[in-house]
Amino acid sequence: DAKTTQPPSMDCAEGRAANLPCNHSTISGNEYVYWYRQIHSQGPQYIIHGLKNNETNEMASLIITEDRKSSTLILPHATLRDTAVYYCIVRVARGGGSNYKLTFGKGTLLTVNP
Amino acid sequence: GAVVSQHPSRVICKSGTSVKIECRSLDFQATTMFWYRQFPKQSLMLMATSNEGSKATYEQGVEKDKFLINHASLTLSTLTVTSAHPEDSSFYICSARSGQGFTDTQYFGPGTRLTVL
């Protein structure tokens, strides 16, 4: 079972910031938070991941709460092409076993409106 | 960087035939590759994990004799759906593990749409 909880859907206006929440209250100390997105009929695209510090790259920012029980993915200026299902996944960083697998939940369908 | 390709992107076959799907990591070596299946309006389900040079590990409920996986090199894994039937019609997606630094990341291919008539 997925270890995360996400809202099933969200809407965002084009050009505005999209803030996608994720709860992972049972996250372990050695598990990272990964974010992927899947545009319709395509393979998932890696966005960002983090352990406890906030992270930023060219696609998005990841804000992780101090207790690590939740996080928020921020798309600073959403475009129509950002419409996709966004998956928040917790997983250990390296190694094998069941803890290493990417287990996809249902994610959040983000719809960016013109 | 970290590009994963799949071939073919779409395939239509008759029931009872076998179909081979290739997954390649184009700009990195992948010691581990993963195969997923996604049915319409559902999330991705992991089918198997393949390590280069060794037998694949299948998830519970996935028939290893039906879904043959070969990971002969660090950049290529293949999935063969043997004796395909209409219920095998699905979107098959591979991913490759890129190990860099303290963490590693899985990168996904674009997927292969299989339709069995």
Side-chain angles (χ1 to χ4, degrees), chain A residues 34 36 38 49 100-101 105, chain B residues 38 43 59 97 103-104 106:
Chain A
Y34 284 78
Y36 286 80
Q38 186 177 25
H49 73 279
Y100 179 77
K101 299 175 185 176
Chain B
Q38 186 175 32
S43 192
E59 295 299 300
R97 172 182 175 178
T103 67
D104 58 35
Q106 284 185 42

Side-chain angles (χ1 to χ4, degrees), chain A residues 50-111:
Chain A
L51 181 63
K52 55 183 179 181
N53 297 320
N54 298 337
E55 301 288 344
T56 296
N57 63 20
E58 64 278 5
M59 289 184 66
S61 295
L62 174 60
I63 308 299
I64 302 174
T65 58
E66 191 170 345
D67 64 6
R68 302 211 321 122
K69 292 184 177 182
S70 65
S71 61
T72 301
L73 179 74
I74 302 173
L75 306 179
H77 305 288
T79 71
L80 299 179
R81 288 177 293 182
D82 292 322
T83 293
V85 178
Y86 287 76
Y87 297 99
C88 167
I89 303 169
V90 296
R91 197 205 71 183
V92 295
R94 301 192 70 89
S98 60
N99 288 339
Y100 179 77
K101 299 175 185 176
L102 284 179
T103 301
F104 286 81
K106 296 184 178 180
T108 296
L109 172 59
L110 174 68
T111 302

